[in-house]
């Protein structure tokens, strides 16, 4: 068997199936068009509508090397030879074309003749009753009976869901030899060890599972196969794990050399290097596909993987941001064929850089909290960190359990591992229970039926605003109707249309449809299943029937305003990149007739100077009145021209390239002005954050922008009159007014503090609790800052002081607890004290051992709370 790179194996697989008449589809996005999935988890996911009969396939045979992300076994990544979060699945697919005979014999031919695997070391598993598959393996391939294993449904039958397409499958396994065995006498095919390695799963989708569990034959038989590129590469390259292949090893070697460790010398350091290499691949590809850090969904997974990689770096000695050091290794290995890594490199770099630095700051906070917790436990005479504390550090601050254990050992402490495991399992249970994807089904609907029956809607609205077309379908509340009458609302599908359906951020067109005996208002236009245009209508007069020809006219004034705003987003996108840097990428947009909203990747708020610079660049291009050039091309040629592809868009074989000569070039299917001068004028109204690493600009064009300038002028005139200042001097006059207000506030606070301090003796009292002095007091209508200042003044009166002050303001209660360091060393904990007491006033709170705060809603219980404080503090001190 000839040694090959992972890249060469990928190409040989694709070329083999192309030679068998398959169409090669470049890898689809990690973001699936499937509401039941968070990520693309297998090669068949992009083709799922074909198996379900929701859409007709463009071809009957296909081949892909699909990038995938799975995180269900994230804790096993790096611990085993084969678990990954990001991987590539090699797959060949057939819809009503070739079936078991070709799938099996061609798979055998690829593995033995093309790759060169020893056929005597290959095994096959089949579903126990699949005699057709058995016959091909035994009689055509020639595999002896002792190397064909039969298994039941739990092993060799594939189901898409509780209903729908399913079928038996056949797995191909490779005997890696005794050195890979678990050593047990019963080790054979089906064992969990790596000796008999599963490399290719051939799924024969031939049945339709009914609600009652019966299996009906599908009208057409289908093939869906999947083989892990990393797994096959490990066999071809003769290594024990996927991580030792050339798809991972350059990253791992660089990590090890940078950390000053030797791969293979320690399980702990090997685990860290593997996790870093795997997670960095995932992070890079996720960002390249438009996923940005967030607190939920895909963005949460991205953030978790990035932080997990950073945590493992800390365990092998990285005390600085380091992930960017190894991004060039990922890109070097994967840039062919994944050009999106290069196209979005600057965006990937900035997001990783900012997120990692932010996480390291969070990690430092966790370290400080752990140190404080250890000090409190020691003061109580305890030497074990509770499991729930270790879990909170893991869950909130990203602390790996190993790091908590390491710090604890340095402090001669232990950690409650069983308690940590219980808390972790409870979280997993909550996650499973709350998952939006549990038992979710992906099914067809009335629109998919129309699409399959009638085909795509032809859009002719780029240069036209009127059309005549037959009515193909009428839909109301998800069901097809023969007609719509006056006063009814519904949805109309036409053979061809000039109405633009909402897509790519541009809202849908409105207008009118006129039939032989009807008048309908088009209130919106949307797209279903990627290519079916649906007109939402209200019947103003008469009756519309299926099959009638209607004449349609778009609201041209509204469309023209949308065109201006849409073209302005192209100008804005380019201007932002020139002002802020090449990392800027569009992350979403909304283009209406009133305004435009543009989301982009950037981590800092724009300065006023940057905003003005962007406005200037855009308006200069508008004034230049440059004619737009719109051409059609294939994706490869468009990329070669330098056209930007947007994160959220999914493109077909033919793409529209919208170019503003000498300035910008983007792939875009939306509507645009003929020349930039048609926009008139451009004005940014707001720049704001909409999430970590994502900013948003709201802007207007044309007459809306002119109105915005008028509003600003009116406000300036009004303010200058109130301040008795010229418009040029407004900012100076306002600054002086603000400074005067601050001075008055400072004086007021000083007076409040003086008055409160003078009453401390009468409102605060002290009591000895063990070796600690507890001060309690009530100071109504006092804010938290002033309570803390009062607490500071009291703490100076005695050593080992704990302070608990309360304030009522209307129905609101405020509690502030404080402890000096000597009290903390003695076991006091302000956070625990306030947490235990807050419920008495109908509230909750917490904080650090030396400073904490709580709120409540029952001022009548403040007195009882202050009376109970000494006994609660005594419990905390272990008294």
């Amino acid at each position: 068997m000839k040694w090959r790179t992972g890249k060469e194996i990928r190409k040989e697989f694709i070329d083999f199936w192309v030679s068998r008449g398959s169409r090669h589809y470049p890898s689809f996005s990690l973001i699936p068009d499937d509401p039941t999935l968070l990520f693309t988890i297998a090669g068949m996911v992009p083709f799922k509508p074909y198996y379900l009969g929701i859409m007709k396939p463009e071809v009957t045979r296909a081949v892909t090397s699909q990038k995938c992300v799975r995180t269900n076994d994230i804790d096993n990544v790096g611990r085993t030879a084969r678990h990954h979060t990001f991987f590539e699945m090699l797959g060949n697919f057939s819809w009503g074309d070739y079936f078991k005979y070709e799938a099996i014999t061609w798979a055998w031919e690829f593995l033995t003749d093309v790759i060169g695997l020893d056929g005597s070391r290959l095994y096959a598993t089949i579903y126990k009753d699949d005699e057709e598959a058995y016959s091909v393996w035994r009689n055509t391939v020639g595999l002896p009976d002792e190397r064909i294993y039969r298994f039941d449904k739990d092993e060799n039958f594939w189901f898409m869901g509780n209903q729908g397409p399913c079928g038996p499958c056949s797995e191909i396994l490779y005997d890696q030899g005794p050195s890979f065995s678990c050593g047990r006498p019963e080790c054979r095919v089906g064992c969990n060890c790596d000796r008999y390695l599963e490399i290719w799963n051939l799924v024969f989708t031939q049945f339709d599972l009914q609600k009652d569990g019966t299996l009906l034959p599908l009208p057409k038989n289908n093939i869906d196969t999947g083989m892990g590129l990393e797994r096959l590469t490990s066999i071809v390259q003769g290594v024990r794990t996927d991580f030792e292949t050339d798809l991972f090893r350059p990253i791992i070697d660089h990590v090890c050399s940078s950390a000053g460790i030797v791969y293979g010398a320690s399980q702990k350091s090997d685990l860290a290097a593997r996790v870093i290499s795997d997670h960095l691949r995932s992070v890079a590809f996720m960002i390249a596909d438009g996923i940005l850090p967030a607190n939920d969904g895909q963005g949460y997974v991205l953030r978790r993987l990035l932080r997990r990689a950073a945590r493992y770096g800390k365990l092998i000695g990285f005390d600085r941001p380091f992930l960017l050091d190894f991004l060039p290794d990922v890109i070097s290995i994967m840039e062919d064929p994944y050009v999106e890594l290069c196209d979005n490199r600057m965006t990937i770099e900035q997001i990783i850089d900012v997120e990692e630095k932010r996480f390291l700051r969070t990690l430092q906070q966790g370290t400080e909290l752990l140190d404080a917790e250890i000090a409190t436990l020691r003061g109580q005479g305890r030497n074990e960190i509770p499991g729930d504390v270790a879990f909170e550090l893991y869950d909130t601050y990203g602390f790996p359990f190993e790091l908590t254990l390491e710090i604890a050992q340095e402090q001669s402490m232990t950690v409650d591992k069983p308690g940590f495991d219980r808390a972790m399992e409870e979280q997993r249970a909550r996650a499973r229970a709350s998952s939006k994807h549990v038992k979710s089904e992906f099914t067809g609907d009335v629109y998919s039926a129309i699409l399959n029956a009638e085909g795509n809607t032809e859009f002719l609205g780029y240069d036209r605003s009127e059309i005549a077309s037959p009515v193909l379908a009428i839909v109301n509340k998800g069901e097809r109707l023969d007609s719509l009458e006056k006063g009814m609302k519904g949805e109309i599908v036409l053979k061809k249309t000039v109405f633009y359906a909402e897509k790519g951020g541009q809202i849908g067109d409105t207008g009118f449809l006129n039939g032989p005996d009807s008048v309908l208002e088009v209130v919106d236009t949307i797209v279903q299943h990627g290519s079916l245009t649906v007109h939402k209508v209200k019947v103003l007069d008469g009756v519309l029937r299926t099959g009638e020809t209607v004449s349609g006219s778009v609201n041209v004034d509204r469309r023209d305003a949308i065109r201006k705003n849409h073209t302005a987003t192209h100008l804005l996108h380019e201007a932002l990149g020139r002002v802020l840097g090449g990392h800027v990428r569009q992350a979403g947009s909304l283009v209406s007739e009133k305004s435009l909203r543009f989301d982009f990747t950037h981590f800092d708020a724009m300065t006023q100077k940057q905003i003005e610079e962007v406005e200037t660049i855009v308006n200069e291009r508008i004034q230049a009145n440059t004619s737009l050039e719109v051409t059609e091309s294939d994706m490869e040629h468009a990329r070669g021209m330098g056209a930007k592809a947007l994160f959220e868009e999914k493109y077909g074989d033919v793409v529209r390239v919208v170019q503003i000569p000498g300035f910008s070039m983007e792939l875009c299917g939306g509507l645009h002005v003929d020349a930039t001068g048609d926009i008139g004028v451009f004005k940014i109204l707001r720049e704001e954050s909409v999430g970590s690493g994502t900013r948003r600009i709201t802007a207007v064009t044309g007459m809306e922008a002119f109105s915005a300038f008028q509003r600003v002028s009116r406000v300036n005139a009004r303010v200058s009159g109130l301040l008795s200042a010229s418009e040029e001097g407004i900012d100076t006059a306002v600054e002086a007014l603000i400074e005067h207000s601050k001075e008055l506030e400072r004086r007021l606070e000083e007076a409040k503090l003086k008055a409160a301090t003078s009453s401390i003796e009468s409102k605060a009292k002290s009591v000895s609790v063990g070796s600690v002095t507890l001060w309690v007091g009530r100071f109504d209508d006092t804010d938290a800052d002033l309570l803390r200042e009062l607490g500071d003044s009291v703490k100076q009166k005695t050593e080992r002081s704990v302070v608990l002050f309360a304030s009522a303001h209307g129905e609101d209660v405020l509690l502030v607890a404080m402890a000096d360091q000597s009290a903390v060393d003695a076991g006091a904990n302000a956070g625990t004290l306030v947490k235990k007491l807050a419920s008495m006033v109908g509230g909750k709170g917490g904080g650090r051992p030396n400073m904490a705060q709580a709120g409540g809603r029952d001022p009548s219980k403040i007195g009882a709370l202050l009376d109970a404080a000494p006994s609660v503090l005594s419990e905390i001190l272990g008294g």
Side-chain angles (χ1 to χ4, degrees):
M1 179 171 55
K2 174 186 172 185
W3 191 96
R4 299 168 177 83
T5 65
K7 175 181 173 182
E8 289 170 335
I9 295 170
R10 183 195 298 118
K11 185 177 186 303
E12 285 181 328
F13 180 84
I14 293 168
D15 290 347
F16 177 84
W17 291 102
V18 168
S19 73
R20 298 310 188 267
S22 297
R23 174 174 173 178
H24 172 224
Y25 285 90
S27 179
F28 295 86
S29 172
L30 287 172
I31 307 172
D33 281 329
D34 185 338
T36 72
L37 296 172
L38 204 57
F39 297 102
T40 300
I41 60 171
M44 64 80 61
V45 168
F47 303 122
K48 198 171 175 182
Y50 300 164
Y51 291 98
L52 290 168
I54 294 174
M55 296 176 64
K56 287 182 179 179
E58 301 171 301
V59 294
T60 58
R61 302 180 181 186
V63 58
T64 64
S65 180
Q66 176 63 45
K67 54 191 179 184
C68 303
V69 164
R70 293 182 187 174
T71 57
N72 52 314
D73 286 322
I74 189 172
D75 291 332
N76 286 324
V77 172
R79 301 182 190 277
T80 70
R82 315 290 171 195
H83 278 97
H84 308 293
T85 55
F86 174 87
F87 63 96
E88 292 180 79
M89 185 173 284
L90 305 173
N92 57 284
F93 311 91
S94 169
W95 302 286
D97 194 336
Y98 66 80
F99 199 46
K100 294 181 186 179
Y101 180 87
E102 294 85 354
I104 292 172
T105 57
W106 285 345
W108 180 265
E109 180 182 351
F110 175 75
L111 291 176
T112 57
D113 293 354
V114 178
I115 296 299
L117 296 186
D118 181 354
S120 67
R121 299 173 71 173
L122 289 172
Y123 292 72
T125 68
I126 61 172
Y127 176 56
K128 63 183 180 66
D129 298 330
D130 193 351
E131 298 303 327
E132 184 181 357
Y134 170 79
S135 176
V136 179
W137 280 118
R138 184 70 186 88
N139 301 322
T140 304
V141 173
L143 211 60
D145 278 335
E146 61 268 22
R147 286 197 278 130
I148 303 174
Y149 284 74
R150 295 176 183 264
F151 290 106
D152 210 336
K153 284 185 177 180
D154 57 342
E155 293 287 341
N156 275 76
F157 206 95
W158 181 85
F159 297 93
M160 186 177 290
N162 297 325
Q163 285 181 255
C166 61
C169 61
S170 179
E171 290 189 336
I172 304 174
L173 303 93
Y174 180 74
D175 181 3
Q176 298 198 94
S179 65
F180 286 81
S181 173
C182 59
R184 297 182 301 167
E186 63 270 23
C187 181
R188 65 184 186 94
V189 170
C191 183
N192 289 328
C193 73
D194 266 2
R195 173 166 182 175
Y196 300 97
L197 187 65
E198 300 169 7
I199 55 176
W200 204 344
N201 189 16
L202 315 178
V203 179
F204 313 124
T205 312
Q206 62 185 106
F207 297 112
D208 187 3
L209 176 64
Q210 304 299 297
K211 282 185 178 181
D212 62 3
T214 58
L215 297 175
L216 300 179
L218 286 171
K220 294 180 179 179
N221 293 324
N222 307 311
I223 290 292
D224 159 29
T225 84
M227 174 166 54
L229 172 63
E230 294 81 2
R231 187 169 293 202
L232 179 60
T233 303
S234 74
I235 296 174
V236 173
Q237 296 182 358
V239 293
R240 296 193 68 86
T241 75
D242 295 355
F243 293 99
E244 293 164 36
T245 67
D246 70 325
L247 296 169
F248 286 94
R249 194 57 190 260
I251 312 169
I252 289 175
D253 287 344
H254 192 181
V255 169
C256 290
S257 64
S258 297
I261 58 178
V262 177
Y263 188 68
S266 158
Q267 287 187 350
K268 175 182 174 182
S269 59
D270 286 358
L271 171 62
R274 289 175 172 185
V275 168
I276 291 167
S277 65
D278 172 272
H279 289 9
L280 186 57
R281 290 189 350 147
S282 290
V283 166
F285 274 95
M286 291 165 77
I287 298 172
D289 274 4
I291 299 171
L292 300 172
N295 291 326
D296 56 13
Q298 296 155 338
Y300 172 75
V301 176
L302 168 63
R303 176 170 283 161
R304 183 185 179 197
L305 292 175
L306 195 154
R307 291 185 168 193
R308 199 166 187 266
R311 291 192 329 241
Y312 274 93
K314 189 172 182 63
L315 290 176
I316 55 175
F318 287 111
D319 56 0
R320 58 171 179 82
F322 67 93
L323 290 175
L324 280 183
D325 296 349
F326 312 116
L327 181 62
D329 301 307
V330 175
I331 294 177
S332 176
I333 295 167
M334 307 298 286
E335 62 185 337
D336 182 8
Y338 299 110
V339 295
E340 61 266 31
L341 292 175
C342 299
D343 292 345
N344 298 295
R345 179 168 184 162
M346 294 183 72
T347 305
I348 298 169
E349 287 174 344
Q350 194 196 35
I351 290 173
I352 290 176
D353 181 52
V354 172
E355 278 290 311
E356 187 178 10
K357 287 176 179 176
R358 180 175 293 162
F359 171 63
L360 291 178
R361 291 193 295 270
T362 302
L363 206 59
Q364 181 61 37
Q365 288 179 307
T367 303
E368 293 171 358
L369 286 173
L370 180 56
D371 289 341
E373 184 67 31
I374 289 173
T376 300
L377 292 169
R378 275 184 168 163
Q380 298 170 354
R382 299 162 61 185
N383 62 0
E384 183 179 68
I385 297 172
D388 59 345
V389 172
F391 177 75
E392 184 178 358
L393 287 167
Y394 167 84
D395 192 46
T396 304
Y397 296 95
F399 252 59
F401 180 81
E402 294 83 359
L403 186 56
T404 299
L405 188 63
E406 188 176 295
I407 294 173
Q409 288 171 344
E410 291 173 357
Q411 301 282 346
S412 300
M413 302 279 286
T414 60
V415 185
D416 174 19
K417 178 70 161 59
F420 174 84
D421 291 339
R422 283 194 300 273
M424 178 71 81
E425 184 53 40
E426 288 171 4
Q427 186 205 52
R428 288 173 179 154
R430 288 193 297 270
R432 288 191 294 268
S434 64
S435 172
K436 296 178 181 178
H437 307 288
V438 173
K439 298 182 180 178
S440 182
E441 299 289 341
F442 182 38
T443 59
D445 54 22
V446 64
Y447 306 108
S448 61
I450 295 170
L451 184 62
N452 280 335
E454 307 293 350
N456 298 336
T457 306
E458 183 181 5
F459 179 66
L460 302 173
Y462 287 121
D463 50 13
R464 297 169 59 180
S465 59
E466 296 183 353
I467 198 169
S469 173
V471 177
L472 298 181
I474 298 173
V475 178
N476 180 265
K477 297 180 180 179
E479 295 184 1
R480 294 186 71 165
L481 302 180
D482 293 327
S483 63
L484 278 181
E485 298 179 357
K486 181 178 179 179
M488 293 180 66
K489 295 180 180 179
E491 295 167 340
I492 306 298
V493 178
L494 305 177
K495 181 64 178 176
K496 48 190 176 180
T497 186
V498 290
F499 288 81
Y500 183 85
E502 181 171 351
K503 195 174 183 181
Q506 179 178 327
I507 65 173
D509 276 334
T510 61
F512 292 91
L513 296 175
N514 291 281
D517 303 304
S518 59
V519 178
L520 299 88
E521 181 184 4
V522 179
V523 297
D524 196 7
T525 312
I526 61 174
V527 65
Q528 294 284 1
H529 297 297
S531 56
L532 188 72
T533 299
V534 176
H535 308 78
K536 293 189 172 187
V537 300
K538 178 180 180 180
V539 183
L540 302 180
D541 193 26
V543 179
L544 177 73
R545 300 173 180 84
T546 302
E548 292 180 344
T549 296
V550 295
S551 58
S553 59
V554 172
N555 182 334
V556 175
D557 291 340
R558 180 176 180 272
R559 172 184 275 189
D560 285 346
I562 294 171
R563 287 178 188 266
K564 293 174 182 178
N565 285 329
H566 197 157
T567 307
T569 64
H570 287 231
L571 295 173
L572 175 60
H573 191 181
E574 180 65 26
L576 286 168
R578 296 188 180 192
V579 172
L580 302 179
H583 63 275
V584 169
R585 285 289 184 276
Q586 180 173 334
S589 67
L590 177 63
V591 180
S592 71
E593 74 274 26
K594 292 292 185 181
S595 63
L596 66 92
R597 194 179 72 199
F598 189 84
D599 297 346
F600 59 100
T601 55
H602 189 60
F603 280 86
D604 300 314
M606 292 176 66
T607 65
Q608 185 59 35
K609 180 179 179 182
Q610 289 171 332
I611 291 173
E612 290 176 1
E613 191 174 350
V614 167
E615 285 181 331
T616 299
I617 291 172
V618 173
N619 281 295
E620 284 176 347
R621 287 292 161 175
I622 291 172
Q623 295 305 310
N625 197 26
T626 307
S627 296
L628 274 67
E629 296 180 3
V630 180
T631 57
E632 290 189 345
S633 173
D634 60 74
M635 176 64 82
E636 185 176 354
H637 180 65
R639 283 185 178 275
M641 294 167 60
K644 291 179 182 176
L646 305 185
F647 275 156
E648 76 276 13
E649 282 293 285
K650 294 175 175 62
Y651 301 96
D653 295 331
V654 178
V655 294
R656 294 182 82 243
V657 181
V658 177
Q659 184 175 4
I660 301 171
F663 190 68
S664 74
M665 188 188 309
E666 292 186 16
L667 304 184
C668 182
L671 304 178
H672 294 278
V673 297
D674 295 327
T676 58
D678 297 342
I679 298 171
V681 68
F682 170 86
K683 176 62 182 171
I684 293 176
L685 300 182
R686 287 188 305 280
E687 192 273 346
E688 58 194 329
S689 171
V690 289
S692 177
T694 309
R695 308 293 301 178
R696 171 175 293 169
I697 280 178
T698 302
V700 286
T701 64
M703 289 305 296
E704 292 290 339
F706 177 71
S707 297
F709 285 118
Q710 285 188 320
R711 287 194 300 273
V712 170
S713 179
R714 283 197 301 271
V715 170
N716 280 346
R718 173 68 173 156
V719 173
S720 65
L722 291 172
L723 296 174
S724 298
S726 65
E727 288 195 19
E728 293 78 8
I730 286 177
D731 54 348
T732 303
V734 170
E735 287 172 359
L737 189 62
I738 291 173
E739 286 301 316
H740 181 62
S741 177
K742 286 181 178 178
E743 176 61 21
L744 292 177
E745 288 178 1
R746 185 185 64 79
R747 292 180 184 179
L748 179 60
E749 290 302 315
E750 287 178 352
K752 284 183 179 180
L753 179 59
K754 185 175 180 180
T757 303
S758 66
S759 65
I760 283 181
E761 298 297 334
S762 61
K763 292 186 177 182
K765 64 179 181 177
S766 63
V767 58
S768 295
V769 181
S771 62
V772 170
T773 299
L774 172 64
W775 289 86
V776 296
R778 177 170 180 170
F779 300 85
D780 288 346
D781 296 317
T782 303
D783 62 22
D785 289 339
L786 187 51
L787 284 182
R788 284 191 288 269
E789 288 192 47
L790 293 174
D792 284 334
S793 67
V794 166
K795 282 194 302 179
Q796 298 172 8
K797 294 179 179 291
T798 56
E799 293 184 355
R800 291 190 179 182
S801 291
V802 177
V803 175
L804 178 66
F805 284 167
S807 173
H809 181 77
E811 295 300 314
D812 295 327
V813 176
L814 173 65
L815 301 178
V816 169
M818 305 168 70
D820 62 24
Q821 188 58 47
S822 60
V824 172
D825 292 341
N829 189 310
T832 304
L833 178 64
V834 84
K835 186 183 295 185
K836 288 178 175 290
L837 289 169
S839 60
M840 294 182 64
V841 290
K844 58 183 179 179
R848 303 188 302 274
N850 64 334
M851 176 71 70
Q853 188 172 314
R857 300 290 296 173
D858 189 353
S860 68
K861 300 293 177 57
I862 290 178
L865 180 150
L866 296 178
D867 289 342
S871 62
V872 173
L873 178 59
S874 180
E875 290 177 12
I876 295 170
L877 294 171

